[in-house]
Amino acid sequence: RPMLMLFVSELSTQIFLYADIFMLGIMTNNYYVGYYAIPVKVYSFVKRIINQMVIVFLPRLAYYNSRKSNEFIKLLSQIINISIFIVLPVMTLLFLLSDNIIYILSGKGFESSFLTLKILSLSLLFAILANIFCNGVLIIKEEEKYVLKANAIVAIINVLLNMLMINRWQHNGAAFTTLISEMLIMIFLYLKAKKNIQNLYFIKNFIYEIIGCVGIVLLYLIISKLILNNILEIIIVSIFGLLIYLGIQLLLRNENIKSIKELK
């Protein structure tokens, strides 16, 4: 039965991930599907890479869950805090450099995809946290039923929203639907998983990380005026932007840096 629930849950997830492309093709035409396809691939690729970090810690979380409940809560809180620490600058860079990325991957004529990737980039934080609450808490706690329910509800909401938004805003409407869906599923899963989450020391470090992201934005505004080459701009802004972000966190003594050192 648990395996069947996981299968149906994964099926629901795939529906809400790909329903937008399917409905976009039916309700509009291939031009808009093309405008949407590249941003989705970029977004999915970045999300998949970051999610691998969570997968690495699943065996240890499962071990602590069965033997050391205090260690489970501690490690889970560290993973959540560190994930936010990592995702925020990546999300900021993806948002700022979306135009450059689309130009490199698709060339001219795909300017309509710029805003699409920017909208999808905002979904990144919600998607990563939802993955933690799902695989790092609820699956380990054998609460697959709630995961199935959340995915099924969001899949239905996603289809309904697509019917409304694609008709009006085409590919950007589909992207906005994905943003809302990722946010909703994160909220649903968090409400069930929150009893296992403690010691997030969230607000203070979150403010520090936002300040670091502001540093990345300021760097981008300067570099974008000086450099016209898309590839060079991506390289410089990414490397020096992350260095500025890390430097600000060290200067402000963000506790997540200490948490990263403690993970062995």
Side-chain angles (χ1 to χ4, degrees), residues 13-22 24 32-49 94 98 101-102 105-106 110 112-121 123-124 127 158 162 166 170-179 182:
T13 301
Q14 296 305 313
I15 290 174
F16 105 73
L17 285 177
Y18 295 103
D20 45 6
I21 297 178
F22 177 74
L24 194 61
Y32 294 112
V33 175
Y35 291 146
Y36 188 66
I38 295 299
V40 166
K41 289 180 181 179
V42 174
Y43 166 70
S44 300
F45 176 74
V46 175
K47 182 173 71 171
R48 193 177 300 115
I49 290 177
L94 185 59
S98 58
I101 294 171
I102 296 298
L105 295 178
S106 304
F110 280 81
S112 295
S113 297
F114 293 170
L115 180 58
T116 309
L117 184 53
K118 290 182 187 296
I119 296 172
L120 289 173
S121 68
S123 308
L124 200 57
N158 180 271
N162 274 323
I166 288 177
Q170 294 83 42
H171 52 296
N172 290 326
F176 193 67
T177 297
T178 299
L179 172 60
E182 297 282 22

Side-chain angles (χ1 to χ4, degrees), residues 52-63:
Q52 296 308 307
M53 180 185 68
V54 179
I55 294 175
V56 168
F57 289 101
L58 290 183
R60 187 184 295 187
L61 280 171
Y63 172 81

Side-chain angles (χ1 to χ4, degrees), residues 78-98:
Q78 286 178 318
I79 292 172
I80 294 172
N81 281 297
I82 292 171
S83 296
I84 296 172
F85 177 86
I86 293 173
V87 170
L88 283 177
V90 173
M91 186 172 69
T92 302
L93 287 170
L94 185 59
F95 182 90
L96 294 173
L97 298 171
S98 58

Side-chain angles (χ1 to χ4, degrees), residues 74-89 199-210 245-246 249-250 252-263:
K74 178 182 177 182
L75 179 59
L76 178 62
S77 298
Q78 286 178 318
I79 292 172
I80 294 172
N81 281 297
I82 292 171
S83 296
I84 296 172
F85 177 86
I86 293 173
V87 170
L88 283 177
N199 304 320
L200 285 182
Y201 43 87
F202 177 76
I203 298 298
K204 183 177 70 173
N205 290 330
F206 186 77
I207 293 174
Y208 292 163
E209 288 150 14
I210 292 297
Y245 177 84
L246 183 59
Q249 304 317 304
L250 289 170
L252 297 176
R253 297 183 180 180
N254 190 317
E255 296 174 22
N256 285 325
I257 295 177
K258 180 180 177 181
S259 295
I260 294 173
K261 294 179 180 179
E262 291 176 353
L263 289 176

Side-chain angles (χ1 to χ4, degrees), residues 217-229 233 237:
V217 173
L218 294 176
L219 174 68
Y220 170 78
L221 293 175
I222 295 172
I223 297 299
S224 62
K225 301 295 183 182
L226 301 176
I227 299 177
L228 299 178
N229 184 281
E233 186 172 321
V237 172

